[in-house]
Amino acid sequence: MLTSPAALERYRDSAPKHPRCYPDLHEHVFALAREGLLHVIDEPINKDTEMHPLVRWQYRGGIPESERKAFLFTQPTDSKGYRYDIAVLVAGLAASREVYRVGFGQPLEKIGEAWIKAIANPIAPRLVADAPCQEVMIEGRDLDAVGRALDGLPVPISTPGFDNAPYLSAGHYITKDPDTGIQNLGNYRGQLKAPRRLGMNPSVELRAGIYAHWLKCKARGEPLPCAVVVGCPPVVSYASVQKMPEDLDELAVAGALAGGPINVVRARNVDLLVPAEAEIVIEGLINTELLEPEAPFGESHGYVNLQEYNAFMEVTAITRRRHPILTSFISQVTPSESSVIRRVAMEPVYLHHLTSVLNVKGVRRVAMHEPLTSLYAVIGIQFARGTPASEIWRALHGASALHRFAGKWLIAVDEDIDPENADALFWAMSYRCQPQHDLVLLPHKHPGHSPRGERDGGETAAVLIDATLKRTFAPVALPTREFMERARALWERLGLPPLTPQSPWHGYDLGHWPAELARQAQMAVRSEYFELGQNLANERRSDVAMNEPVKRE
């Protein structure tokens, strides 16, 4: 059942041990509850069969984004009846943009600018001691006791019926470049294989920092030290999922997002710094000599990733808070928590790249299509009317090159087209684009995180489409705004179902609307159409063909 926030009381902490200017995960959960954005499920829920399917319904059940919420499960169990003493937060960081806003701590309209500034001006972490993430420490032989290692973590099965194990979907892996000493923080899946063995997929196609570190340690004949954070201050999670330069420490970017340094503490068994306010930290060594089968696992491109050889980590320690909350992302088919958490930051980054780095003129907005396509495949770029074709093509080429794995279909549209609306994109492509003139195919595109094709060594291509107006058009064939607004007032007075206007919801001029036709339309709404008919009879001709346009000024 859904309960009141009273079930949250065990997660209410005393004053922070160390100064900080960001909320930890417990404070974030209380903030969600205050804003009515949290479901608290205070009854036994099977993490292997029920938990993710329950939350999945808010993405596949026709619920609008504005009504999506976070879920906190306080009594997770498994199919053998085991009861865990750790809560699980699902969709708690980005169930919707509103949930993201609460965790980020800034208005939605300022989030893009904050990301740009943070990447340019990182703030180094602050080292502390006596950290909350080490209130409980399990090391050595203690890990071999039942329920004391990975078997004590209520990690959900994300795609029951296809996944072959519980996988960390919000596991933030911390590793260090053995040459430079720069840490990397990235989010990767982690398969629970044994109480002291964690599988992992370093997303080779995305050139993740952890993979570069793994290769360097392999060349040295050394294992790769690693710490996996499962639950932490939201700002750290937001930084962990974004694509940044390999020489940039994501914890420093998180500090810049927060407006002050992230508190870190030295891990117990590996030479790494971990967030002091983390909920759970799994420490260990990733084997660089051997790989073993990992997956199947449902992926964000909407298909199950079948089994492949990947790395694994031997666990040397697990530290945690006294009352930890394990986080789990809803990923796989989009829209999902994973797509929202990436989209809020990535769209502003693309817009900044086009307008500030490349200095393209006329760009108004960048929208990454989310439902089913996982952001990276379809990108819409909105332009001001009258933007020169040269700028439109510069933007399309620039967007296709920003990330090697993103931008399979890039579509330029006018400012009256909502690039977030797939129907509007198809409308523009259908009637404002002539493919023989307005389409360019760029070969040798990396497929990125997607099912690999059997042809061309798995390579794909990018398709650039100019679906902007090339000349003036007749008006959009809907009643003009004044009549639609009058009708809406009537609709509401009659008590008809609530409306959610879909763009375009009224007609508007696209440059070709002769004054005489405007006059005739005004006669029509005054019910003077028979008088108009008499006037049109005076324009009869015998020297024109059927469907010959009437020229008007």
Side-chain angles (χ1 to χ4, degrees):
M1 60 180 175
L2 302 184
T3 72
S4 70
L8 300 177
E9 285 308 308
R10 69 183 302 204
Y11 306 105
R12 191 182 299 278
D13 301 311
S14 56
K17 289 184 176 181
H18 307 287
R20 53 183 166 86
C21 52
Y22 53 88
D24 67 5
L25 191 64
H26 289 200
E27 292 164 338
H28 172 63
V29 165
F30 278 96
L32 291 176
R34 286 193 300 271
E35 298 218 15
L37 292 171
L38 179 69
H39 292 307
V40 181
I41 313 299
D42 192 29
E43 65 177 72
I45 298 292
N46 190 323
K47 72 176 185 66
D48 293 334
T49 62
E50 298 175 323
M51 192 175 288
H52 267 233
L54 178 70
V55 183
R56 176 71 60 188
W57 268 117
Q58 76 172 351
Y59 296 93
R60 306 310 304 167
I63 296 175
E65 181 186 330
S66 60
E67 296 180 20
R68 296 182 204 149
K69 298 183 179 183
F71 283 71
L72 183 72
F73 298 92
T74 60
Q75 299 184 47
T77 66
D78 68 11
S79 295
K80 294 182 177 180
Y82 186 89
R83 299 175 75 94
Y84 298 84
D85 64 351
I86 297 174
V88 181
L89 181 67
V90 184
L93 296 172
S96 66
R97 276 170 275 206
E98 279 300 301
V99 170
Y100 187 107
R101 173 191 62 77
V102 173
F104 200 85
Q106 295 195 43
L108 285 171
E109 63 272 15
K110 293 186 177 181
I111 287 175
E113 180 183 358
W115 270 107
I116 302 302
K117 290 182 177 179
I119 292 173
N121 303 282
I123 297 176
R126 175 173 52 211
L127 184 63
V128 301
D130 188 27
C133 72
Q134 294 176 348
E135 290 174 337
V136 176
M137 295 183 286
I138 309 168
E139 304 169 283
R141 293 182 178 178
D142 289 343
L143 288 165
D144 297 324
V146 175
R148 298 284 283 169
L150 298 179
D151 54 341
L153 303 183
V155 180
I157 292 180
S158 296
T159 322
F162 292 108
D163 293 356
N164 64 344
Y167 284 74
L168 299 175
S169 58
H172 306 336
Y173 286 69
I174 298 175
T175 56
K176 182 166 61 175
D177 188 310
D179 295 332
T180 67
I182 297 175
Q183 288 196 170
N184 178 267
L185 171 71
N187 192 82
Y188 316 106
R189 73 186 189 218
Q191 179 182 354
L192 271 62
K193 291 187 167 184
R196 295 186 63 169
R197 191 164 96 260
L198 180 68
M200 56 90 64
N201 181 349
S203 300
V204 173
E205 71 277 1
L206 300 182
R207 298 286 176 90
I210 191 174
Y211 182 55
H213 299 172
W214 186 87
L215 289 174
K216 287 185 177 183
C217 285
K218 180 179 177 64
R220 294 178 174 211
E222 302 170 352
L224 174 62
C226 181
V228 184
V229 175
V230 192
C232 59
V235 70
V236 175
S237 287
Y238 297 146
S240 77
V241 301
Q242 298 309 325
K243 308 307 174 191
M244 301 182 199
E246 292 181 9
D247 60 352
L248 189 58
D249 184 349
E250 285 82 359
L251 283 173
V253 174
L257 291 173
I262 301 298
N263 293 326
V264 294
V265 66
R266 296 192 186 281
R268 294 283 300 174
N269 283 250
V270 291
D271 184 20
L272 294 168
L273 301 177
V274 300
E277 293 85 18
E279 301 290 312
I280 301 164
V281 179
I282 306 166
E283 301 179 17
L285 299 173
I286 298 177
N287 191 303
T288 57
E289 295 181 2
L290 302 171
L291 302 174
E292 64 182 33
E294 182 261 357
F297 182 74
E299 283 290 3
S300 60
H301 49 60
Y303 301 92
V304 170
N305 182 193
L306 300 182
Q307 208 156 59
E308 55 194 25
Y309 284 96
N310 274 315
F312 59 92
M313 183 176 88
E314 297 292 348
V315 176
T316 60
I318 295 178
T319 69
R320 62 180 180 86
R321 301 179 71 151
R322 287 193 181 88
H323 299 294
I325 298 175
L326 183 147
T327 54
S328 180
F329 289 152
I330 281 282
S331 189
Q332 292 82 41
V333 172
T334 56
S336 68
E337 182 179 15
S338 294
S339 59
V340 172
I341 204 172
R342 286 180 283 124
R343 182 182 184 184
V344 175
M346 289 193 71
E347 288 181 341
V349 167
Y350 268 86
L351 183 62
H352 173 77
H353 177 70
L354 296 179
T355 59
S356 299
V357 178
L358 300 182
N359 199 30
V360 178
K361 307 301 181 185
V363 177
R364 290 287 182 265
R365 183 181 170 196
V366 175
M368 306 179 78
H369 188 260
E370 186 178 9
L372 299 181
T373 58
S374 190
L375 302 182
Y376 297 139
V378 182
I379 301 176
I381 307 175
Q382 186 187 64
F383 292 86
R385 277 290 301 277
T387 298
S390 59
E391 294 298 281
I392 291 172
W393 285 106
R394 276 215 307 135
L396 289 170
H397 281 274
S400 73
L402 179 55
H403 291 300
R404 62 197 287 271
F405 53 83
K408 190 170 186 177
W409 306 92
L410 296 106
I411 307 155
V413 295
D414 296 289
E415 57 191 336
D416 68 302
I417 299 295
D418 179 2
E420 193 171 325
N421 185 321
D423 294 337
L425 286 178
F426 283 132
W427 183 38
M429 290 165 61
S430 297
Y431 300 113
R432 302 184 184 187
C433 168
Q434 292 178 273
Q436 70 272 32
H437 299 296
D438 302 322
L439 184 150
V440 170
L441 188 145
L442 298 179
H444 308 302
K445 183 78 176 180
H446 193 281
H449 192 54
S450 66
R452 292 294 181 94
E454 297 179 356
R455 297 170 291 182
D456 300 322
E459 279 190 354
T460 186
V463 178
L464 316 184
I465 302 172
D466 180 1
T468 62
L469 291 167
K470 315 302 186 299
R471 57 180 177 81
T472 59
F473 260 45
V476 173
L478 289 167
T480 57
R481 186 178 192 126
E482 63 175 307
F483 297 106
M484 288 299 290
E485 288 179 340
R486 287 185 203 170
R488 183 173 186 177
L490 176 59
W491 177 283
E492 293 172 349
R493 181 173 64 79
L494 294 173
L496 296 172
L499 296 173
T500 304
Q502 304 292 305
S503 179
W505 58 268
H506 64 84
Y508 49 88
D509 182 10
L510 286 173
H512 184 60
W513 183 229
E516 171 57 22
L517 296 186
R519 186 187 71 82
Q520 292 182 14
Q522 288 301 310
M523 292 181 68
V525 297
R526 294 195 300 265
S527 303
E528 297 174 357
Y529 29 83
F530 289 149
E531 178 183 337
L532 173 61
Q534 293 174 356
N535 295 338
L536 295 178
N538 296 329
E539 297 186 37
R540 291 174 179 169
R541 295 173 58 179
S542 61
D543 60 340
V544 291
M546 190 76 77
N547 285 166
E548 175 77 15
V550 178
K551 291 183 171 55
R552 304 282 191 189
E553 296 297 332

